[in-house]
Amino acid sequence: MSLYEKPAHVLHDMLVKKEISSVELTNDVLGRIDAVEGKVGAYLTLTKDAALAQAKAVDEKRAAGEALGYLAGIPGAIKDNICTKGIKTTCASKILDNFVPPYDATVMTKVKAENPVLLGKTNLDEFAMGGSTENSAYHVTHNPWNLGCVPGGSSGGSAAAVASGSAIWALGTDTGGSIRQPASFCGVVGLKPTYGRVSRYGIVAYASSLDQVGPLTRDVTDAANVLNVISGLDEMDSTSSPAAVPDFTQALKEDVKGLKIGLPKEYFTDGMDPEVEKAVKDAIEVYRSLGAEIVEISLPHTKYAISTYYLIAPAEAATNLQRYDGVSYGARVDGIDLVDMMTKTRTEKFGEEVKRRIMIGNYALSAGYYDAYYLKALKVRTLIQQDYTEAFKSVDVIMCPTAPTPAYEIGSMISDPLQMYLQDICTVPLNLAGLPGISLPCGKSSKGMPIGLQIIGKALDEETILRAAYTYEQTQSYHGVLPTIGGEKA
């Protein structure tokens, strides 16, 4: 097995025992990038020289007897809407084509304290608006399991990098499923923490009340370890939670006896792919065999979640993106006067999906429709939150599919935005409620495409969903398995 195929915790142990060097590991991953990146397209910016310099520095620290942080010397990738000092951060948008942040996001400050090897910035749907990574202004990212299929989105680049072996771990952001859905499509683990568990400072905002940073990894152990690194209160983020941060690795125990698992009937809809439903229900039976109790529950307002999300998120997006006007922020297209300049800038530099969501958001916030649309959506959001609160009175976790289908073909939904929005039916309710959720592989379709199981937990209870995910993972062989790309094993 090549080094790029191994999870971070195994590589960490190998580095500590001096079985490998960080330079050796980094060269192995960079070689993998050279071999597959032209086919997958996971990255927007690569920082190979800096990565090798970081690897050399870690090896020198180790030689000097210094202790190694969990991510020390281990190559990872960062979604390109997370500000990185001195490294271009574009959000996959032409309007930020040459933006180089003068500061790091808080998560980057925390990550850099571990002395990792940073490979570069990964592709995404422009400003994280989309579910397929087809909406990038630069290029489409391909699913490593089938290059003709999407990797999911908006963190599709990060998921594809981890799945293809061109990164050991990655960070993404999740506004309505943008970590969990690509994790499902690419056969990796994706964790969305509780809203506020991880600082949003330095994250280019899409929808401020929904966005959350989280890890994409090879297995649940790595997800817990990366969550340890990035969690915690941040005085720069007023929505950051003051709750104490536990050691999430302590939750990694094979024990679900007596665990009460809720199955929401609203998540198993008629439009769900039969292979997805079977894989998830087979996983539920594994839990039953391990001593968990399965309870059917109802989340009655789930049917309104998509509509609610696609009023609230675009409204917040329209507000957050108003700064990109050619004057305050971002690129500029010259015009004959101020209005013409602003119009040309936003028309030419924003992509179609971003413009669509700005228009929806401004419409929902307009004087004549605010009460009818945006205010009503806020009220329904509260009802969705109350559904979860009521459900968690009788269960410990909730399980369901991450996405209603496996990854679909590139181009098959790009002209039908509503159909693509409906792919988020299982993921957006968590963001509306601010709850944690994890997606992990639970099977394959008849065409060999990964299927994800989603585990939902109570607010600030990532430990229980990690324990449930870890227990299931130890009984299966899906995790850590990389696909074949262009005839070569990834």
Side-chain angles (χ1 to χ4, degrees):
M1 178 182 284
S2 299
L3 293 177
Y4 65 75
E5 296 180 84
K6 299 180 185 295
H9 61 93
V10 171
L11 294 168
H12 172 75
D13 291 343
M14 294 175 73
L15 285 166
V16 169
K17 295 175 183 177
K18 299 185 178 180
E19 296 174 358
I20 59 171
S21 71
S22 180
V23 169
E24 178 186 0
L25 169 59
T26 301
N27 276 321
D28 192 64
V29 176
L30 290 176
R32 186 61 190 161
I33 290 173
D34 289 341
V36 304
E37 177 59 13
K39 301 169 186 175
V40 176
Y43 287 90
L44 288 175
T45 300
L46 283 165
T47 54
K48 294 183 178 182
D49 291 343
L52 285 169
Q54 291 161 356
K56 183 179 178 181
V58 169
D59 287 338
E60 291 172 351
K61 288 177 180 290
R62 183 180 60 171
E66 295 185 30
L68 297 183
Y70 174 72
L71 294 179
I74 300 177
I78 308 299
K79 187 177 180 180
D80 201 31
N81 64 341
I82 299 174
C83 284
T84 43
K85 184 177 181 179
I87 302 173
K88 193 161 67 167
T89 300
T90 69
C91 293
S93 177
K94 292 295 186 182
I95 208 161
L96 286 177
D97 189 47
N98 294 309
F99 175 55
V100 179
Y103 69 99
D104 276 322
T106 295
V107 290
M108 291 308 303
T109 301
K110 289 176 175 286
V111 164
K112 285 184 176 180
E114 295 276 303
N115 297 303
V117 172
L118 300 178
L119 299 164
K121 307 298 289 292
T122 56
N123 199 17
L124 63 150
D125 291 291
E126 184 180 3
F127 282 101
M129 297 181 190
S132 65
T133 318
E134 294 172 283
N135 293 307
S136 170
Y138 299 99
H139 62 256
V140 172
T141 297
H142 300 258
N143 191 310
W145 289 92
N146 182 335
L147 297 175
C149 291
V150 302
S154 63
S155 304
S158 290
V162 174
S164 66
S166 56
I168 306 301
W169 60 274
L171 292 185
T173 62
D174 193 312
T175 307
S178 294
I179 288 174
R180 291 160 288 147
Q181 185 247 32
S184 175
F185 281 8
C186 291
V188 298
V189 174
L191 172 62
K192 174 216 170 290
T194 304
Y195 182 80
R197 175 68 87 182
V198 180
S199 172
R200 292 185 299 108
Y201 177 74
I203 311 303
V204 181
Y206 163 19
S208 302
S209 74
L210 301 165
D211 299 340
Q212 189 62 184
V213 183
L216 291 117
T217 59
R218 299 276 170 76
D219 61 20
V220 175
T221 300
D222 280 0
N225 275 298
V226 176
L227 187 60
N228 274 347
V229 172
I230 63 176
S231 296
L233 178 65
D234 178 18
E235 63 181 15
M236 301 296 288
D237 177 5
S238 62
T239 63
S240 177
S241 172
V245 178
D247 178 358
F248 294 107
T249 62
Q250 295 301 306
L252 303 180
K253 301 173 183 176
E254 295 182 56
D255 179 18
V256 293
K257 289 182 180 179
L259 187 76
K260 293 184 178 181
I261 299 173
L263 295 188
K265 60 183 181 181
E266 291 83 3
Y267 281 61
F268 294 87
T269 61
D270 293 337
M272 181 173 295
D273 185 295
E275 292 183 324
V276 170
E277 184 172 1
K278 181 180 185 305
V280 171
K281 288 187 174 179
D282 286 348
I284 299 300
E285 290 306 311
V286 171
Y287 280 102
R288 194 192 302 272
S289 71
L290 294 172
E293 180 182 346
I294 312 302
V295 181
E296 184 174 289
I297 62 172
S298 178
L299 300 170
H301 294 95
T302 297
K303 60 184 176 181
Y304 304 116
I306 292 292
S307 300
T308 301
Y309 175 85
Y310 281 102
L311 285 168
I312 293 173
E316 295 186 13
T319 301
N320 282 326
L321 296 184
Q322 67 182 351
R323 73 193 73 173
Y324 302 96
D325 57 8
V327 178
S328 306
Y329 211 75
R332 173 184 296 181
V333 177
D334 291 333
I336 59 175
D337 56 28
L338 182 64
V339 173
D340 187 51
M341 181 273 293
M342 288 183 174
T343 301
K344 285 182 176 178
T345 295
R346 294 171 70 82
T347 300
E348 296 180 23
K349 296 297 184 179
F350 281 141
E352 292 303 311
E353 184 62 27
V354 171
K355 286 186 281 191
R356 181 182 295 116
R357 297 195 190 196
I358 289 173
M359 292 175 67
I360 293 171
N362 282 328
Y363 183 84
L365 291 172
S366 62
Y369 297 98
Y370 179 90
D371 289 348
Y373 292 106
Y374 182 70
L375 186 59
K376 185 172 289 186
L378 292 180
K379 293 177 179 179
V380 176
R381 181 180 190 171
T382 300
L383 295 175
I384 292 169
Q385 293 170 332
Q386 290 173 350
D387 283 350
Y388 281 113
T389 299
E390 188 63 28
F392 280 122
K393 290 178 180 178
S394 58
V395 300
D396 300 306
V397 298
I398 295 171
M399 293 188 186
C400 62
T402 307
T405 69
Y408 47 87
E409 291 184 1
I410 291 172
S412 62
M413 292 190 187
I414 197 69
S415 61
D416 188 355
L418 181 58
Q419 189 64 30
M420 188 178 291
Y421 296 167
L422 291 173
Q423 285 282 319
D424 298 334
I425 183 62
C426 297
T427 54
V428 298
L430 274 71
N431 297 80
L432 292 169
L435 301 177
I438 190 170
S439 176
L440 69 159
C442 71
K444 294 278 184 63
S445 73
S446 58
K447 295 182 179 180
M449 299 305 291
I451 295 170
L453 169 69
Q454 181 175 212
I455 307 175
I456 305 165
K458 302 172 186 177
L460 297 171
D461 189 20
E462 287 85 0
E463 293 166 286
T464 300
I465 63 173
L466 284 165
R467 174 165 62 91
Y470 180 80
T471 300
Y472 174 76
E473 184 183 72
Q474 299 312 299
T475 71
Q476 305 298 310
S477 59
Y478 300 119
H479 68 282
V481 179
L482 276 63
T484 298
I485 303 173
E488 295 181 2
K489 194 169 187 292

